[in-house]
Amino acid sequence: MKVIHALFADECGCIYCKKLNAIIQLVELRTPCLHCEKWRGTIQGEGCECEWDDFDFKAAVCVYDHVAEYDRVNSFKTTPQQEKLKIWQEKNEVAKRQYNIRRWG
């Protein structure tokens, strides 16, 4: 099922890129996202939205921890889904709190 992933950049401007299966830095006008078939738009300068087949989620998801996202995607075959999502959710919640502190103070 195709799912929109809202990929919020960290303090270095990095996100997880599904197409490259790598962590990349968003660089204005040079980011490979602009020419990617998975790219669906920006998040008001805070990151971007991408769409790809994802077996863990059935609806749009916000990603704040790009390393946890990388680990989740690359553990599809080795880690049971519930365990994988629990680890991802814990790391993503911490990153979300840090993101909100950075953004809103």
Side-chain angles (χ1 to χ4, degrees):
M1 169 192 265
K2 295 225 184 251
V3 175
I4 296 285
H5 297 74
L7 304 163
F8 289 87
D10 69 3
E11 61 274 356
C12 297
C14 294
I15 63 166
Y16 169 72
C17 173
K18 171 65 173 160
K19 181 177 182 175
L20 300 175
N21 190 30
I23 296 167
I24 64 167
Q25 186 173 31
L26 296 175
V27 179
E28 193 173 332
L29 301 177
R30 292 190 321 188
T31 300
C33 303
L34 300 175
H35 306 287
C36 180
E37 69 279 357
K38 297 178 185 321
W39 187 70
R40 294 297 176 260
T42 64
I43 309 171
Q44 302 293 316
E46 299 293 324
C48 65
E49 291 183 331
C50 299
E51 182 179 44
W52 69 79
D53 286 327
D54 196 322
F55 301 104
D56 287 332
F57 301 105
K58 296 189 183 335
V61 61
C62 293
V63 179
Y64 294 92
D65 187 324
H66 57 277
V67 175
E69 182 70 352
Y70 175 87
D71 291 343
R72 180 188 72 82
V73 170
N74 286 289
S75 67
F76 271 133
K77 295 180 181 173
T78 59
T79 307
Q81 184 181 30
Q82 293 304 318
E83 180 182 338
K84 174 177 45 180
L85 285 175
K86 182 177 184 256
I87 293 167
W88 178 88
Q89 198 168 31
E90 289 169 357
K91 290 181 177 181
N92 199 55
E93 276 301 315
V94 169
K96 180 180 179 181
R97 285 192 296 275
Q98 291 171 344
Y99 173 84
N100 286 330
I101 289 169
R102 268 194 342 263
R103 187 156 187 234
W104 305 109

